[in-house]
Amino acid sequence: MDNREQTSPVRCENTRRYTIDELLARIEPQYREYKAAIRKCIAGLTDHAAQLAAQGQEEQLPTFRRLITDMAEFWGLTDDDTPKGYREMTEQIGSTFDQAVSAARDSSGAPELSAQTKTDILNGLRLYAEEMMDCGDLEQWISECDALSSQLQRDWRMEASSPQPLQAGMEMSKSDFWELIAGAKKECGQNMGSSINWLTSQLIARGPQQTQDFTYIMDGYMSLSYQYGLWTAASLMCENGCSDDSFIDFRAWLIAQGEEIYLAALADPDSLADVEAYGGCQFEELPYTGNETMKHLTGKDAYENTDPDAYKALVAALKKDITYGEGVDYPYEWDEVEEYLPRLCEKYLEPGAVEFHLKSQHTMWFSDCPDIQKAREGGPPQRNGPQTDIKMEGM
């Protein structure tokens, strides 16, 4: 059984090591994502400079022009990896900047920056600064980036208040977490490798604190979905049954489907009959993403100096949004599963499968396991409504 404790993050799930070939395979698509983020930042800074020019505020324009050409050169935003290619790239970016500024100056007008454009600029500046930190001896440019980012954040204060972080010291809220999960699904669909690369680029842009927050929130939602009724559903949906390790990967896959599907599955696992299964309903790499990104950003493990009491409080805060369905903590056997999960059984089991397993005396669980024996005491509960206070061994 999966004997993880609810009072501390799941360190054992975040210790995967990669070969050199695997790392190179991961780095290349990640850096494509990073370069795309930098291009958006450069385009946004150009639009911002045009807006300033239209308002007659031109003091910072030379700094902006130099910054965007430096960014382009640092990131190698050209397919021609030669001195001539780099020179033509910086000339083109500088020329685009000059034209935008000139047009805004002549017309005394420029479009307002959208919220997304402002976010793109700030994310790109943060990503640029983080990468320069890895290079060393670039403190002057890092400080310039940080100062500009701080200035723009002051200038662009949002009228609406942002979602509140879950705890003091955290920067990420539950809404922020689920928006990242939804963004990965929107941008990458069912391509799990691309989803990891997209999430990694977003976390790098957000910095170490939010990356650590993401790691802990992910672990919290993983822990809260450790429910035998959901595990029973996973046993039907996964291609080769669902072992302890497979259930870890299944829960990660469930989180990747988004907040609505995640919460619905804990209220009624049979609702997963409406969700398209892909990738074997396994997303092995997702729980590692935050910790691996943290190592990239800081060289440190996200779980260093973890406060168990703070993590326990975090899990309690996450749990407030969850309504556990009646019986979701019960380990169902073959003679009970069709009543509990009728639609999943119809969708994933061959006709006569239940009868075959019963006749062959197969079991879905290790019946001699004390945790299973305790959970099955009294038989399956009646599904008369939701229950909100579930306590399960190994959460």
Side-chain angles (χ1 to χ4, degrees), residues 56-357:
Q57 302 175 23
E58 302 201 10
E59 297 83 359
Q60 287 187 292
L61 298 191
T63 300
F64 284 1
R65 191 184 193 282
R66 176 183 53 76
L67 176 62
I68 66 172
T69 55
D70 286 350
M71 290 175 72
E73 187 170 2
F74 180 89
W75 284 91
L77 302 183
T78 177
D79 295 329
D80 184 359
D81 192 18
T82 66
K84 179 176 181 290
Y86 273 74
R87 184 175 64 254
E88 291 178 349
M89 170 193 65
T90 55
E91 289 175 353
Q92 177 60 47
I93 287 175
S95 175
T96 300
F97 180 92
D98 294 338
Q99 291 173 20
V101 167
S102 178
R105 185 187 295 125
D106 292 343
S107 65
S108 298
E112 290 289 328
L113 298 183
S114 68
Q116 184 59 58
T117 298
K118 293 175 183 178
T119 299
D120 290 341
I121 292 172
L122 295 174
N123 284 347
L125 289 173
R126 184 178 295 175
L127 178 58
Y128 184 33
E130 294 287 357
E131 286 298 304
M132 286 193 289
M133 286 180 188
D134 291 341
C135 295
D137 298 325
L138 296 174
E139 287 80 3
Q140 177 183 343
W141 288 271
I142 294 170
S143 296
E144 180 183 56
C145 243
D146 290 341
L148 176 58
S149 180
S150 296
Q151 175 202 323
L152 293 177
Q153 288 183 71
R154 288 193 301 271
D155 293 344
W156 295 339
R157 288 196 183 280
M158 297 294 181
E159 291 79 5
S161 59
S162 300
Q164 292 299 307
L166 287 158
Q167 291 179 332
M170 295 185 71
E171 295 179 1
M172 181 172 286
S173 67
K174 288 181 285 188
S175 297
D176 294 332
F177 174 87
W178 286 117
E179 284 173 7
L180 281 172
I181 295 297
K185 192 69 181 293
K186 178 180 178 182
E187 294 293 329
C188 307
Q190 297 179 359
N191 189 322
M192 290 183 273
S194 294
S195 295
I196 294 297
N197 295 331
W198 187 89
L199 283 169
T200 300
S201 67
Q202 294 294 311
L203 291 174
I204 286 177
R206 289 169 178 256
Q209 182 59 58
Q210 291 205 41
T211 298
Q212 181 168 292
D213 297 346
F214 179 90
T215 305
Y216 288 177
I217 294 172
M218 172 68 72
D219 287 348
Y221 281 126
M222 290 284 290
S223 177
L224 290 166
S225 55
Y226 185 96
Q227 303 294 332
Y228 290 134
L230 182 65
W231 198 337
T232 307
S235 298
L236 300 177
M237 297 177 68
C238 295
E239 294 174 353
N240 298 304
C242 194
S243 65
D244 291 28
D245 288 343
S246 294
F247 190 45
I248 293 172
D249 299 340
F250 175 84
R251 284 177 283 151
W253 178 86
L254 177 62
I255 289 170
Q257 307 316 302
E259 181 179 19
E260 183 178 349
I261 290 174
Y262 173 87
L263 294 176
L266 291 177
D268 179 11
D270 207 32
S271 66
L272 289 170
D274 298 324
V275 179
E276 182 180 359
Y278 64 90
C281 300
Q282 308 275 291
F283 200 163
E284 180 183 358
E285 290 189 305
L286 183 59
Y288 305 108
T289 306
N291 195 34
E292 292 298 321
T293 306
M294 190 69 173
K295 292 175 184 176
H296 171 81
L297 288 171
T298 67
K300 297 180 181 179
D301 190 286
Y303 300 102
E304 291 186 15
N305 303 316
T306 297
D307 181 345
D309 290 335
Y311 178 72
K312 186 175 181 179
L314 169 64
V315 173
L318 297 175
K319 188 177 180 180
K320 291 179 181 178
D321 292 335
I322 296 175
T323 299
Y324 289 110
E326 186 73 30
V328 76
D329 58 339
Y330 181 82
Y332 293 83
E333 273 296 352
W334 284 114
D335 60 340
E336 302 159 335
V337 68
E338 286 183 299
E339 181 176 353
Y340 182 60
L341 302 170
R343 295 198 296 146
L344 283 175
C345 286
E346 182 179 2
K347 184 174 182 178
Y348 289 102
L349 293 181
E350 295 290 336
V354 171
E355 290 77 6
F356 168 78
H357 288 299

Side-chain angles (χ1 to χ4, degrees), residues 10-16 219 287-288 291-292 295 303:
V10 190
R11 189 184 181 93
C12 63
E13 291 186 20
N14 292 273
T15 56
R16 180 177 176 182
D219 287 348
Y288 305 108
N291 195 34
E292 292 298 321
K295 292 175 184 176
Y303 300 102

